[in-house]
C-alpha cells in the first residue's frame, strides 16, 4: 500500500519500526557455499556420470566447450594424426610395390616419385592434405591404389579442415568475454523507495557498443522443506524485477538500479533487519541480451549472499551533466550510503501504516461526533431558522461552522468529509 509523507514520517518515528545506525557486527554463522560465483561461474560439478557416450554424439559442442589448452591440443593432434596416418599408408604402398628397392633404377615407375623413406612419405602426405604441391614428389599414373588414396585423403582432409576451423572460429567468437564488461554492484541494498521497502542492486555496461534487448532476471536460492517433509537443498524462487510492468527490459546505456518491490508476493515479505542477519540464502541475478557488434546472445551472471545485502543503504549517484553529454563516474559504481529505513519487515510496515490510518480516521470521526450537527442546531432553534429563512443573515450557521473549524482544524474536517464520501461510494 502507498503511504503518504505524513504517514511514512510517523512510521519512522514509531516504536514499532525504527532503524539502527550502528555498524555491522561480525556474524557467527557458517559461510555459505556459493551457487554462482561473483564472476558468473556456476559452482557445480557433475560426477558419477555413466552415460558419457552422449558427449561423443555432440562432438562439436564438446570441443567448443573445452578450455583453450585442450582445444589447442585437439586442434594440433587432429592434423598431426591424419598426416602421420596417410604418410604411413603412402610408405606402405611404396614398400609393398617395391619402390624402395628400385630407387636407382631409372626404368622403374614408382607410385610416387622421390619417395625414398618414411620421412619423404610423411612430407608427401602433408603436401597432399594442405594442397601445397611443391612439385618434387608427385603421384604417377601407374598406381591405381595411390589414385584412390589421394582422393580419400583430399576428401578427409577437407572435412578435418572444416571441422577444426569451425570449432576454433566458434570458440573465438563466443560472447563469453563480452560478459566481462557487464558489471554488477558488489552489494545489494534494502531501503525505502516511494514509501515501499525495495531490494535493489546496480548493473552497468562498460562498452560503448550496447547490449540489444537486455533482459534482467533474478532467482532466490534457498533451502526449503515442503509440507510433506521433502527437503529441497537449492530451491529456486523467482524474484520479480518488473516482469509484469516491463521494467525488466533494460535500455542499458548508463548504469541502472534494478529494484524489486517487497510486497505480499515477495519472498522477503516477512524478513526484517534482525532476521536478515540470521538468514542463509543467495540471490542470483542474470542479465541476457544480444551483442550489438556480433549479433550473438550474451549472458552475464552474479550473486549476492545474505551478508552482501545491506539494510538501510542506498546507491550513490554516479551521473552528472557535462557540456553536451552525460558523464558517468564508475568510481562510485559500488558506493552506498546509509539512509533512514525502518528495521521491521514489509508486512509489519504495512500493518503499522494500516493501524496509523485507522487511528487517524477514528480520532477525527469521534471528535466530530462530539460537536452538535447543523441539523440538530436548526431543530432546537426553529425561530432563528425561520427568521433566517425570511431573509435574515445566517449568522448562526456561519458561527457554528467557525467553531467547528477552530476546534477540529481544517485538515481534520476535510479528512472526515473525504472519509464519509469514500464510505458512501463504497
Amino acid at each position: 500500500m502507498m503511504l503518504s509523507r505524513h504517514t511514512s514520517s510517523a512510521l519512522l518515528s514509531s516504536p514499532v519500526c525504527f532503524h539502527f545506525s550502528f555498524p555491522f557486527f561480525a556474524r557467527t554463522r557458517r559461510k555459505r557455499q556459493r551457487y554462482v560465483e561473483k564472476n558468473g561461474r556456476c559452482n557445480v560439478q557433475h560426477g558419477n556420470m555413466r552415460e558419457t557416450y552422449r558427449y561423443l554424439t555432440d562432438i562439436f559442442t564438446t570441443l567448443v566447450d573445452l578450455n583453450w589448452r585442450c582445444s589447442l591440443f585437439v586442434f594440433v593432434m587432429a592434423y598431426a594424426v591424419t598426416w602421420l596416418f596417410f604418410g604411413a599408408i603412402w610408405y606402405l604402398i611404396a614398400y609393398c610395390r617395391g619402390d624402395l628397392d628400385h630407387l636407382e633404377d631409372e626404368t622403374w615407375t614408382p607410385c610416387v616419385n622421390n619417395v625414398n623413406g618414411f620421412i619423404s612419405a610423411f612430407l608427401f602426405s602433408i603436401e597432399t592434405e594442405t594442397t601445397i604441391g611443391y612439385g618434387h614428389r608427385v603421384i604417377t599414373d601407374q598406381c591405381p591404389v595411390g589414385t584412390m588414396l589421394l582422393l580419400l585423403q583430399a576428401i578427409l582432409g577437407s572435412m578435418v579442415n572444416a571441422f577444426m576451423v569451425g570449432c576454433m572460429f566458434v570458440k573465438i567468437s563466443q560472447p563469453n568475454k563480452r560478459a566481462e564488461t557487464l558489471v554488477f554492484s558488489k552489494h545489494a541494498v534494502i531501503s525505502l523507495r516511494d514509501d515501499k521497502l525495495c531490494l535493489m542492486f546496480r548493473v552497468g555496461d562498460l562498452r560503448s557498443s550496447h547490449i540489444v534487448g537486455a533482459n534482467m532476471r533474478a532467482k532466490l536460492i534457498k533451502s526449503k522443506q515442503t509440507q510433506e517433509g521433502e527437503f529441497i537443498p537449492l530451491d529456486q524462487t523467482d524474484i520479480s524485477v518488473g516482469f509484469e510492468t516491463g521494467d525488466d527490459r533494460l535500455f542499458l546505456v548508463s548504469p541502472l538500479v534494478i529494484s524489486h518491490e517487497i510486497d505480499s508476493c515477495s519472498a522477503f515479505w516477512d524478513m526484517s533487519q534482525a532476521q536478515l542477519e540470521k538468514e542463509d540464502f543467495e540471490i542470483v541475478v542474470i542479465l541476457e541480451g544480444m551483442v550489438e557488434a556480433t549479433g550473438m546472445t550474451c549472458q552475464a551472471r552474479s550473486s549476492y549472499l545474505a551478508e552482501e545485502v545491506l539494510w538501510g543503504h542506498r546507491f550513490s549517484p554516479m551521473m552528472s551533466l557535462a557540456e553536451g553529454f552525460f558523464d558517468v563516474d564508475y568510481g562510485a559504481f559500488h558506493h552506498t550510503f546509509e539512509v533512514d529505513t525502518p528495521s521491521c519487515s514489509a508486512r509489519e510496515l504495512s500493518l503499522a501504516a494500516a493501524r496509523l490510518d485507522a487511528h487517524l480516521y477514528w480520532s477525527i470521526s469521534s471528535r466530530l461526533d462530539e460537536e452538535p450537527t447543523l441539523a440538530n442546531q436548526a431543530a432546537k432553534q426553529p425561530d432563528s431558522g425561520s427568521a433566517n429563512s425570511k431573509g435574515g443573515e445566517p449568522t448562526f450557521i456561519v458561527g457554528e461552522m467557525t467553531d467547528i473549524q477552530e476546534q477540529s482544524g481544517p485538515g481534520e474536517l476535510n479528512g472526515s468529509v473525504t472519509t464519509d464520501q469514500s464510505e458512501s461510494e463504497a
Side-chain angles (χ1 to χ4, degrees):
M1 58 181 297
M2 290 297 296
L3 307 177
S4 62
R5 183 177 301 177
H6 173 73
T7 306
S8 60
S9 60
L11 286 175
L12 289 174
S13 59
S14 173
V16 178
C17 299
F18 51 90
H19 173 67
F20 292 101
S21 59
F22 53 82
F24 294 101
F25 52 86
R27 304 185 183 187
T28 58
R29 69 168 182 265
R30 178 179 59 87
K31 180 176 177 58
R32 178 186 173 91
Q33 179 65 47
R34 285 186 179 274
Y35 187 64
V36 176
E37 300 290 343
K38 296 293 285 186
N39 58 3
R41 184 181 65 87
C42 295
N43 195 15
V44 177
Q45 294 184 0
H46 302 280
N48 196 21
M49 293 181 297
R50 300 179 181 180
E51 298 180 352
T52 54
Y53 66 90
R54 297 181 181 271
Y55 288 97
L56 298 179
T57 57
D58 188 13
I59 186 65
F60 185 84
T61 306
T62 301
L63 294 178
V64 171
D65 290 339
L66 293 176
N67 55 38
W68 274 106
R69 184 180 302 177
C70 295
S71 296
L72 292 176
F73 177 77
V74 172
F75 184 82
V76 172
M77 291 302 297
Y79 286 102
V81 169
T82 54
W83 294 339
L84 288 171
F85 174 75
F86 283 101
I89 295 179
W90 287 116
Y91 176 78
L92 183 61
I93 291 175
Y95 178 80
C96 293
R97 291 185 76 252
D99 295 342
L100 301 179
D101 298 333
H102 300 81
L103 295 178
E104 303 298 334
D105 189 358
E106 295 181 357
T107 61
W108 180 265
T109 303
C111 182
V112 180
N113 291 329
N114 299 314
V115 173
N116 52 13
F118 178 77
I119 299 301
S120 59
F122 176 69
L123 293 176
F124 177 73
S125 175
I126 296 176
E127 294 172 9
T128 301
E129 190 167 333
T130 58
T131 65
I132 294 176
Y134 290 116
H136 182 63
R137 282 173 286 270
V138 294
I139 189 172
T140 63
D141 55 358
Q142 301 296 324
C143 184
V145 177
T147 303
M148 298 298 296
L149 182 61
L150 180 66
L151 294 176
L152 180 62
Q153 185 174 4
I155 294 173
L156 292 180
S158 300
M159 295 175 62
V160 171
N161 286 332
F163 191 81
M164 298 310 301
V165 172
C167 288
M168 296 301 294
F169 175 76
V170 171
K171 192 171 183 64
I172 293 173
S173 61
Q174 275 185 325
N176 295 338
K177 296 301 180 182
R178 180 63 177 89
E180 298 293 333
T181 54
L182 297 173
V183 292
F184 295 88
S185 57
K186 294 181 180 178
H187 295 88
V189 299
I190 293 180
S191 61
L192 288 176
R193 172 177 278 192
D194 293 332
D195 294 329
K196 295 182 179 180
L197 280 178
C198 295
L199 171 69
M200 294 171 285
F201 58 92
R202 185 143 63 184
V203 60
D205 187 3
L206 301 180
R207 286 190 179 273
S208 299
S209 58
H210 308 306
I211 297 294
V212 180
N215 181 271
M216 177 61 66
R217 293 185 293 130
K219 292 281 188 178
L220 175 65
I221 310 297
K222 185 180 179 181
S223 300
K224 175 185 176 181
Q225 187 170 6
T226 63
Q227 297 180 359
E228 295 77 14
E230 179 187 3
F231 179 74
I232 305 176
L234 295 174
D235 182 60
Q236 299 184 10
T237 305
D238 282 328
I239 299 177
S240 176
V241 289
F243 176 78
E244 297 82 2
T245 59
D247 292 338
D248 60 329
R249 295 186 289 272
L250 310 179
F251 183 51
L252 198 59
V253 178
S254 61
L256 299 176
V257 176
I258 310 301
S259 176
H260 162 65
E261 181 181 322
I262 304 178
D263 54 10
S264 58
C265 300
S266 173
F268 304 98
W269 176 244
D270 295 318
M271 186 175 298
S272 62
Q273 181 181 6
Q275 187 177 2
L276 177 64
E277 303 290 338
K278 305 175 184 178
E279 283 292 333
D280 188 13
F281 61 83
E282 182 177 356
I283 301 173
V284 178
V285 292
I286 305 170
L287 175 63
E288 294 178 331
M290 186 175 63
V291 181
E292 186 180 31
T294 61
M296 302 186 70
T297 303
C298 172
Q299 184 182 93
R301 298 180 295 265
S302 186
S303 67
Y304 302 98
L305 298 179
E307 56 264 24
E308 295 173 343
V309 179
L310 306 180
W311 189 286
H313 281 243
R314 187 180 299 165
F315 286 104
S316 301
M318 52 182 302
M319 181 177 291
S320 60
L321 180 60
E323 295 182 1
F325 61 93
F326 293 94
D327 184 31
V328 179
D329 180 18
Y330 273 94
F333 184 82
H334 303 285
H335 292 177
T336 63
F337 61 95
E338 201 167 2
V339 294
D340 291 333
T341 305
S343 61
C344 59
S345 64
R347 176 192 290 273
E348 295 172 345
L349 184 64
S350 177
L351 293 176
R355 286 195 296 266
L356 182 59
D357 291 342
H359 174 72
L360 292 176
Y361 168 76
W362 289 112
S363 62
I364 293 174
S365 301
S366 59
R367 293 188 62 181
L368 289 177
D369 291 340
E370 295 177 357
E371 302 294 336
T373 60
L374 299 181
N376 293 335
Q377 292 290 340
K380 292 180 181 179
Q381 299 180 4
D383 298 337
S384 301
S386 60
N388 293 333
S389 62
K390 290 180 181 180
E393 295 294 334
T395 56
F396 168 73
I397 296 179
V398 174
E400 289 298 319
M401 287 293 290
T402 304
D403 294 340
I404 294 176
Q405 291 179 356
E406 290 178 354
Q407 294 179 9
S408 59
E412 297 178 351
L413 181 61
N414 294 333
S416 64
V417 174
T418 305
T419 304
D420 295 336
Q421 290 179 356
S422 61
E423 290 180 352
S424 62
E425 293 176 359

